[in-house]
Amino acid sequence: MAARPPRVIVTKIGFDGHDRGSRVIAACLRDAGMEVIYTPPWQEIPTVVKLAMEEDADVIGISSLATDHLIVPRLMSALRDAGMGDVQVIVGGIVPHRDEAVLLESGVARVFHPGTSLDDVVAEVRALTAKRRQMQGASA
Amino acid sequence: MNAILKPTPGELPEEGHERWSAEFAAAVPGDATTFNRSGIPIKPLYTPRDWNGQACEQHLGYPGQYPYTRGIYPSMYRGRSWSQRQLVGLGVPEDYNLRVKEVLRLGASALSLLPCNSVFRGYDADEVPPELLGTCGTVINHVGDMEAALDGVPIGDISTAMNDPTPFTLLAFELAVARRRGVPWSRITGTSNQSDCISHFVANHMFFRLALQGARRVIVDHIAFCNEQVRGWNPLSVVGQHMQQAGATPAEAMAFTLCSAIQYAEDCIARRMDPDEFLPRFTFFFDISISFFEEVAKFRAGRRIWARLCKERFGAKDPRSWRFKFHGQTSGVDLTRQQPLNNIARVTAQAMAGIFGGLQSLHTDSYDEVFSTPTADAARIAVATQNVLREEAHLTDVIDPLGGSFFVEALTDEMEKKIESLIRMIDEAGGMYQAVEKGIVQQMIGDSALAFQKKIDSGEQTLVGVNAYQVEEDPADYPALEYPDPQRMKAYLERLAQFKRSRSNADVQKALGELARSANDPQLNVFAHVVSAAEAGATHGEICRTLREELGFGHVLAMV
């Protein structure tokens, strides 16, 4: 049986509505053959956690332009509290260097900055999906 | 509509053109056709075959004269420079006030106010995650906050542009402050920046609070109220910037913006407003990308189309109604995190395109916007860039200096055709409201965004430092702006609670009740009741919530 393609949620949390980045990423992951669940901006953290559970998402991609990444650590603990610590979270957008370390420490797998090529994003999502499925296999 | 005119015999000999063609083909065999971002083919050479002076009278004219291709004023920058309108906003109202006083001390003649993202979304500070407060813009929730933000600022003498979309609480707070200070509203001047609800629905959804049809009602009320009571105010700024930042090509951004303006004008006419009353107060706001000549042509073409629309479609008779006044902002999307100082060069080229395009007001981005909200040093360079271009490079000495260039004139005509064909398409779809509700516009913008990103990824479009000319570098070399002090924000939240305790709740409830009633009665003006609620002490979040309940919540129509 062929492996299920990566299943990815592309979303924005917080207040910012600039969604060019998230739309471009969603379209490119879809074109690369992944299953993409795309949400409009302004999602609440509990909504994202619920969606990840219902959709059995491998990866959650958070797009941030105007400091909304500052509440990503809250998302990380909400995922762990819901028993979904294996879901891989990536953040892309305008993230000051000093905040990148904070995000990685909170459990974010990878931070993508402007200028990243779409191919790199696709490769990373595939790698993180493999990692998550391995984690699931190990715990099963 | 603009026929290609044959060169006048004797001006440029035909055999010369033939010889050049052959020599060019030999020197650059298989020269690939180049297209600009809007999809218009760009030739290696333009001559009188593409454009010549015979078209002058019909398409060009003089600055300050219909159809305004060369600028909306006879004197343009030779008479008065564009306004240097940098957005300022961070932290609590007192932080903003300090910054404003500094800007005024340095000689600024106009203010701008960028509110916190929580404000943009329609919430008070006590309704949202505290980490995000004041990190992008100033927290302004009620009349007391506006009083603090404008403390010591002579609001009767200085223009205040506020990023203030539906239902325009920031202007309401300023009017309440004016009343307290005894400043007549007739002396309040400025702009409700980004008041164009359609652009928020299509792109940049952070400003979109009410359901689209509710927002449509409120913007017309806002225009009607300001025309009657705050006559120095520009209640409508129609925004192309959001759409181009979201991925629209320059031609699409100009076309969709004009289509939005057509809808607002037709709504005002349907409300029996006189075009010559409201059109002179319409303003526009555009993105300026680094595609230099394309941007110049976009602005020259837009000016010509708008003049024609106002005169022929809306029947405006006063020449002041035909003028296409616009603010330009250099494009953040073109900036790179790699080798960020290169962004200063990008902003310079973008600003030049805007200046040669004839803008009335300019915001230049800071080179560090790819890292964070601008730091003070980077913002200073952004302002200095404008000063250098004006006072050292002398870009203001001659009006429309690119006018008459075979290329610029031919490209202006081509952009005009492209924009007009897009306007026809939206007209056929039933106008901009219907087109965006069907998702047509969002789909086109999304497709253009992806197509451009693929060009960068494939290397077809060079991005210095990103897909070419890379260098080893450490992003930690560049500082990011500090976030507001959490203690100051905590103190702000305590003051907000104190404000809510000390006001008359009976007055607030009464005013909000009347606001709700106005939303359901087309005979009443909603914005008049927003102002009354602000004066009674209602907060921004309360006003927004009341209207959301009556007019519907703003849901995004997001398409991938």
Side-chain angles (χ1 to χ4, degrees):
Chain A
M1 196 181 83
R4 200 188 74 181
R7 185 167 279 206
V8 190
I9 293 173
V10 178
T11 189
K12 283 177 72 71
I13 54 179
F15 309 125
D16 175 58
H18 295 81
D19 63 349
R20 171 204 183 102
S22 57
R23 291 170 65 188
V24 166
I25 291 294
C28 120
L29 296 179
R30 183 196 58 205
D31 292 353
M34 300 184 190
E35 293 173 2
V36 178
I37 300 114
Y38 177 78
T39 83
W42 320 322
Q43 298 301 311
E44 305 259 352
I45 285 170
T47 317
V48 176
V49 172
K50 188 161 170 276
L51 191 62
M53 187 182 283
E54 286 169 0
E55 298 286 348
D56 187 23
D58 298 298
V59 176
I60 302 174
I62 304 284
S63 169
S64 172
L65 181 131
T67 68
D68 291 299
H69 62 274
L70 293 176
I71 56 170
V72 167
R74 287 187 189 216
L75 171 69
M76 302 311 295
S77 41
L79 282 170
R80 277 192 296 273
D81 291 350
M84 295 194 291
D86 59 317
V87 177
Q88 302 293 302
V89 176
I90 56 181
V91 176
I94 307 286
V95 177
H97 183 74
R98 59 159 190 259
D99 294 352
E100 180 174 350
V102 178
L103 292 182
L104 296 176
E105 215 161 280
S106 78
V108 167
R110 180 80 188 267
V111 176
F112 286 113
H113 299 290
T116 306
S117 89
L118 296 177
D119 289 346
D120 289 351
V121 178
V122 170
E124 181 73 7
V125 170
R126 286 196 203 287
L128 289 173
T129 300
K131 182 178 167 190
R132 183 209 175 218
R133 291 183 183 172
Q134 212 167 25
M135 286 164 78
Q136 280 188 323
S139 65
Chain B
M1 56 169 291
N2 187 32
I4 293 174
L5 299 166
K6 291 280 176 219
T8 313
E11 267 189 6
L12 266 179
E14 190 68 11
E15 69 77 32
H17 188 270
E18 279 164 23
R19 201 169 80 219
W20 168 78
S21 287
E23 285 169 358
F24 178 80
V28 193
D31 178 48
T33 309
T34 301
F35 291 88
N36 70 10
R37 290 185 181 189
S38 298
I40 292 169
I42 302 297
K43 301 198 276 187
L45 182 73
Y46 287 77
T47 70
R49 294 160 152 256
D50 302 288
W51 191 88
N52 73 31
Q54 289 175 36
C56 253
E57 200 176 324
Q58 193 187 349
H59 296 289
L60 207 51
Y62 285 94
Q65 293 177 24
Y66 190 87
Y68 302 102
T69 310
R70 310 200 68 181
I72 59 169
Y73 299 121
S75 53
M76 289 304 285
Y77 312 136
R78 186 81 176 225
R80 197 179 69 178
S81 173
W82 62 86
S83 327
Q84 300 192 185
R85 202 162 277 235
Q86 300 296 115
L87 287 172
V88 178
L90 198 78
V92 298
E94 289 74 13
D95 297 327
Y96 177 79
N97 187 251
L98 278 177
R99 200 64 184 263
V100 156
K101 282 186 174 148
E102 186 191 320
V103 170
L104 290 177
R105 195 176 53 79
L106 293 173
S109 55
L111 297 184
S112 78
L113 171 59
L114 183 68
C116 170
N117 284 348
S118 62
V119 176
F120 278 134
R121 281 297 302 127
Y123 298 112
D124 282 339
D126 55 6
E127 299 177 276
V128 304
E131 300 98 309
L132 301 181
L133 287 173
T135 53
C136 266
T138 309
V139 182
I140 301 269
N141 284 171
H142 53 78
V143 57
D145 285 348
M146 190 59 92
E147 189 102 70
L150 298 176
D151 179 53
V153 175
I155 53 174
D157 305 319
I158 206 153
S159 153
T160 50
M162 295 187 282
N163 281 29
D164 188 14
T166 328
F168 316 106
T169 53
L170 292 177
L171 176 61
F173 294 144
E174 182 176 346
L175 293 177
V177 170
R179 186 99 83 191
R180 286 182 179 186
R181 292 190 193 170
V183 177
W185 288 356
S186 58
R187 283 183 50 203
I188 299 296
T189 58
T191 303
S192 299
N193 273 349
Q194 315 206 7
S195 53
D196 168 3
C197 53
I198 298 175
S199 75
H200 304 308
F201 185 70
V202 174
N204 198 12
H205 317 282
M206 65 194 288
F207 307 91
F208 182 61
R209 299 170 183 148
L210 302 177
L212 188 59
Q213 291 305 324
R216 181 179 192 172
R217 156 86 192 281
V218 179
I219 180 70
V220 180
D221 282 4
H222 183 64
I223 295 169
F225 180 93
C226 291
N227 278 351
E228 284 166 21
Q229 305 215 33
V230 200
R231 293 186 59 82
W233 193 261
N234 299 320
L236 179 65
S237 87
V238 196
V239 187
Q241 195 253 4
H242 302 161
M243 297 193 256
Q244 198 165 320
Q245 285 287 290
T249 67
E252 285 170 343
M254 178 57 74
F256 298 151
T257 307
L258 292 172
C259 288
S260 301
I262 290 170
Q263 290 269 263
Y264 297 126
E266 289 180 346
D267 279 5
C268 288
I269 291 167
R271 284 274 294 269
R272 298 171 186 275
M273 287 187 242
D274 175 0
D276 284 319
E277 282 287 313
F278 65 79
L279 285 175
R281 288 271 163 221
F282 276 23
T283 66
F284 293 84
F285 169 23
F286 290 101
D287 195 50
I288 316 165
S289 81
I290 201 161
S291 181
F292 185 86
F293 290 105
E294 183 174 2
E295 291 293 349
V296 173
K298 172 182 91 176
F299 293 129
R300 297 173 95 248
R303 203 156 36 229
R304 201 146 78 191
I305 298 170
W306 181 244
R308 197 159 53 232
L309 283 169
C310 290
K311 193 177 177 191
E312 294 174 8
R313 185 159 174 170
F314 312 139
K317 295 184 178 62
D318 185 342
R320 282 177 306 175
S321 304
W322 305 335
R323 290 175 185 161
F324 186 70
K325 285 184 291 193
F326 72 96
H327 167 77
Q329 178 172 349
T330 60
S331 168
V333 170
D334 290 339
L335 305 185
T336 68
R337 187 179 173 95
Q338 292 80 358
Q339 305 172 44
L341 292 175
N342 293 349
N343 292 335
I344 298 172
R346 293 189 176 97
V347 168
T348 306
Q350 295 163 337
M352 287 174 67
I355 293 163
F356 290 146
L359 49 70
Q360 275 61 60
S361 154
L362 173 62
H363 170 108
T364 31
D365 284 338
S366 302
Y367 71 84
D368 62 352
E369 291 184 19
V370 282
F371 296 102
S372 72
T373 301
T375 57
D377 278 351
R380 184 187 53 73
I381 293 171
V383 174
T385 302
Q386 298 193 30
N387 297 338
V388 168
L389 292 176
R390 186 181 54 242
E391 288 163 46
E392 295 183 26
H394 287 268
L395 297 196
T396 54
D397 286 359
V398 171
I399 301 166
D400 186 31
L402 301 185
S405 142
F406 302 129
F407 172 44
V408 170
E409 298 298 351
L411 187 60
T412 300
D413 292 348
E414 287 293 319
M415 288 292 278
E416 181 179 12
K417 277 186 225 158
K418 188 108 193 169
I419 293 162
E420 288 199 305
S421 76
L422 288 161
I423 293 175
R424 267 194 304 281
M425 185 201 85
I426 299 294
D427 273 342
E428 279 158 19
M432 195 63 177
Y433 278 109
Q434 287 205 38
V436 301
E437 281 175 341
K438 291 175 195 155
I440 297 171
V441 177
Q442 295 90 319
Q443 194 69 59
M444 288 176 73
I445 292 175
D447 290 349
S448 296
L450 188 61
F452 190 67
Q453 186 61 45
K454 285 182 171 168
K455 275 189 182 171
I456 292 170
D457 274 11
S458 70
E460 188 185 337
Q461 169 67 55
T462 297
L463 211 48
V464 174
V466 176
N467 63 8
Y469 313 107
Q470 293 100 327
V471 295
E472 286 292 318
E473 57 191 341
D474 184 355
D477 291 345
Y478 296 92
L481 191 69
E482 293 296 324
Y483 295 122
D485 177 357
Q487 289 309 315
R488 279 173 79 75
M489 209 44 83
K490 195 161 163 260
Y492 173 84
L493 286 166
E494 282 160 14
R495 282 208 317 277
L496 177 61
Q498 173 63 30
F499 175 85
K500 286 185 175 176
R501 279 196 300 272
S502 66
R503 64 189 181 170
S504 158
N505 270 318
D507 286 357
V508 170
Q509 290 315 316
K510 184 162 168 281
L512 291 176
E514 280 166 10
L515 177 63
R517 199 162 58 81
S518 73
N520 293 297
D521 183 349
Q523 300 302 315
L524 298 174
N525 187 305
V526 173
F527 185 64
H529 290 277
V530 171
V531 176
S532 311
E535 291 193 299
T539 63
H540 168 72
E542 290 165 338
I543 291 170
C544 291
R545 189 181 322 124
T546 302
L547 286 177
R548 273 202 306 268
E549 281 165 6
E550 303 304 323
L551 297 171
F553 194 86
H555 290 287
V556 173
L557 178 59
M559 333 247 323
V560 175

